[in-house]
Amino acid sequence: NAGVTQTPKFQVLKTGQSMTLQCAQDMNHNSMYWYRQDPGMGLRLIYYSASEGTTDKGEVPNGYNVSRLNKREFSLRLESAAPSQTSVYFCASSKSAVGLAGGNEQFFGPGTRLTVL
Amino acid sequence: AQTVTQSQPEMSVQEAETVTLSCTYDTSENNYYLFWYKQPPSRQMILVIRQEAYKQQNATENRFSVNFQKAAKSFSLKISDSQLGDTAMYFCAFMRANAGGTSYGKLTFGQGTILTVHP
């Protein structure tokens, strides 16, 4: 049981290049999330997917797109990378975002460190 | 919108001693959940403890406990008998819930507190 996996672990891009960050979970979770973590700041939500087939914007969605490929996989795409997108990116999953009483624990992947030159 | 504030950028403690990390939050919601996450140098985010706002009793998990003051919108984490492995960045986080107690699943994080445990 691998939990939440992310690829790649590290990536260096030049300004204007595109790339896709991959995330997969094997816990049969319905909800998945993408966060970014910048120095001196907590994690901020970029996009989330409450269930397969749905996606919604979070706090900082500009410059990103997402795809919920199936129940297991949730990818994050940078179409034209900018230096301001240099950050550590975390994917997370939880059983559900809605419809389940109680706070839902989010399980996090190991992160992707992205540098845009 | 909710905000979460951790006013202590860095804390240090001697091994076996007790340390308290502070967190305050601002929300107009009445039903919500609060969390403390730990991020060691490996960068892995690990849930430490969770508190439901409708529960008056403070949550405890082994050496970790919280002091939840709903009226003051304060949620501090106490670590007892500190261990070297507790060295990490600690994040306080907020999650909305609707009137029925279901959660929307989106976490709002504070800026984090770096805790160093010295031998």
Side-chain angles (χ1 to χ4, degrees):
Chain A
N1 199 347
V4 180
T5 57
Q6 292 182 234
T7 55
K9 286 187 169 50
F10 301 92
Q11 184 70 48
V12 178
L13 293 178
K14 294 181 180 178
T15 297
Q17 287 185 316
S18 62
M19 80 161 295
T20 299
L21 280 64
Q22 306 287 354
C23 173
Q25 52 88 12
D26 62 1
M27 296 174 283
N28 200 34
H29 284 171
N30 290 304
S31 303
M32 299 184 74
Y33 314 83
W34 276 106
Y35 294 89
R36 62 177 287 173
Q37 183 179 23
D38 300 312
M41 301 182 75
L43 281 70
R44 291 183 292 169
L45 184 66
I46 304 171
Y47 270 94
Y48 72 103
S49 172
S51 61
E52 187 179 355
T54 68
T55 61
D56 207 347
K57 295 178 180 179
E59 184 184 354
V60 288
N62 291 343
Y64 305 95
N65 285 301
V66 291
S67 294
R68 184 73 184 268
L69 304 169
N70 48 55
K71 190 172 185 179
R72 290 187 62 248
E73 298 172 288
F74 187 40
S75 63
L76 178 72
R77 183 161 178 83
L78 286 70
E79 291 291 351
S80 179
S84 61
Q85 293 178 304
T86 293
S87 189
V88 180
Y89 291 85
F90 288 95
C91 178
S93 71
S94 64
K95 283 184 183 177
S96 179
V98 297
L100 186 67
N104 291 291
E105 178 181 357
Q106 291 187 14
F107 294 81
F108 285 81
T112 295
R113 183 177 293 277
L114 175 67
T115 301
V116 183
L117 303 174
Chain B
Q2 289 68 232
T3 58
V4 179
T5 302
Q6 294 178 248
S7 58
Q8 304 155 316
E10 295 186 44
M11 295 279 285
S12 64
V13 64
Q14 292 295 127
E15 196 174 8
E17 293 187 348
T18 296
V19 64
T20 298
L21 308 184
S22 301
C23 173
T24 58
Y25 57 93
D26 186 23
T27 184
S28 58
E29 305 277 341
N30 190 48
N31 293 314
Y32 49 87
Y33 307 95
L34 295 164
F35 304 83
W36 279 98
Y37 277 86
K38 169 184 177 181
Q39 186 179 41
S42 66
R43 284 206 318 251
Q44 185 70 46
M45 293 288 287
I46 302 164
L47 179 65
V48 175
I49 200 164
R50 167 174 52 217
Q51 175 79 42
E52 290 87 350
Y54 63 85
K55 289 186 177 178
Q56 291 188 334
Q57 187 173 7
N58 289 325
T60 62
E61 285 287 340
N62 300 314
R63 297 183 294 107
F64 299 88
S65 61
V66 299
N67 183 5
F68 173 49
Q69 301 290 329
K70 190 172 184 179
K73 297 181 182 175
S74 170
F75 182 59
S76 60
L77 174 70
K78 185 171 84 170
I79 306 174
S80 304
D81 186 25
S82 296
Q83 300 176 358
L84 296 178
D86 294 334
T87 292
M89 173 88 86
Y90 287 81
F91 291 98
C92 177
F94 174 100
M95 179 189 288
R96 292 174 59 206
N98 67 16
T102 54
S103 71
Y104 288 96
K106 290 183 283 185
L107 286 167
T108 300
F109 285 86
Q111 307 92 319
T113 296
I114 299 172
L115 175 67
T116 303
V117 180
H118 298 286

